Amino acid sequence: KNEVEQSPQNLTAQEGEFITINCSYSVGISALHWLQQHPGGGIVSLFMLSSGKKKHGRLIATINIQEKHSSLHITASHPRDSAVYICAVSGSQGNLIFGKGTKLSVKP
Amino acid sequence: DAGITQSPRHKVTETGTPVTLRCHQTENHRYMYWYRQDPGHGLRLIHYSYGVKDTDKGEVSDGYSVSRSKTEDFLLTLESATSSQTSVYFCATSGDPDTQYFGPGTRLTVL
């Protein structure tokens, strides 16, 4: 069993829809990260959180430490949000342990 | 964004040849990491460094070695490339163990 599981693997939405991507993990963590990988391949860190909720523009990330679960929400989705969204948790070596990613496609 | 560059960005090589990938950072970050990204696996840690000349193995280190002789450079070497090492390689750096910044990636093809 992977230590970090994401769902769904693929997601297609219409522009304007509210989107939720889920992440569950099975290890103790110091922090959870949400990353975005653009179609060109670059990886950008969106959020790092260890409790509660963070918001940046139309993106909201929440984490429930007791349930070992996090969600990434996108409000008023737009085609430019199309990307792969990756959940990762901080490992004991300071590295990140990654989920396999959720490929999001937002249609106009 | 952190100043992280990787070279080369693309490389095609033949089985059995040595290959070295370079990661260069201008942020004076202590921690540096090499990951590989393959379809169906996500990103996986190859090696990491927590300081000059201090390195350790990650999850998929077989067939790879690293060196860090100065803070800004972290080299990944494939001593004898194999087709299973065809992948996209990402370098990442961190000034603390949690917040990581990624390089643009190197696409390596081993024929």
Side-chain angles (χ1 to χ4, degrees), chain B residues 2-94:
Chain B
I4 305 169
T5 57
Q6 292 183 229
S7 58
R9 294 292 313 281
H10 302 270
K11 186 169 181 67
V12 179
T13 191
E14 292 187 349
T15 299
T17 60
V19 176
T20 296
L21 308 183
R22 179 184 184 229
C23 177
H24 179 78
Q25 56 129 338
T26 59
E27 301 299 313
N28 201 35
H29 284 168
R30 177 183 174 188
Y31 300 90
M32 297 186 76
Y33 307 87
W34 276 108
Y35 297 98
R36 61 178 287 176
Q37 185 176 40
D38 304 288
H41 286 281
L43 287 136
R44 293 178 290 174
L45 179 69
I46 305 171
H47 280 279
Y48 67 102
S49 170
Y50 41 95
V52 173
K53 296 195 167 122
D54 287 326
T55 65
D56 209 343
K57 295 179 180 180
E59 177 189 357
V60 291
S61 60
D62 286 349
Y64 302 95
S65 62
V66 290
S67 66
R68 191 168 178 202
S69 59
K70 44 187 179 177
T71 299
E72 56 266 36
D73 289 327
F74 193 31
L75 303 181
L76 177 70
T77 298
L78 290 66
E79 301 291 345
S80 178
T82 68
S83 58
S84 65
Q85 293 176 311
T86 293
S87 187
V88 181
Y89 292 85
F90 286 94
C91 171
T93 74
S94 174

Side-chain angles (χ1 to χ4, degrees), chain A residues 27-72:
Chain A
V27 295
I29 66 169
S30 59
L32 183 140
H33 305 251
W34 282 102
L35 308 166
Q36 181 190 54
Q37 186 168 26
H38 298 287
I43 299 173
V44 175
S45 179
L46 298 174
F47 296 102
M48 181 181 74
L49 64 165
S50 54
S51 64
K53 175 180 172 178
K54 287 191 176 180
K55 184 175 188 292
H56 181 71
R58 295 180 293 106
L59 301 178
I60 303 166
T62 64
I63 188 169
N64 184 317
I65 297 294
Q66 288 73 30
E67 294 185 4
K68 295 188 174 180
H69 181 269
S70 175
S71 293
L72 176 68

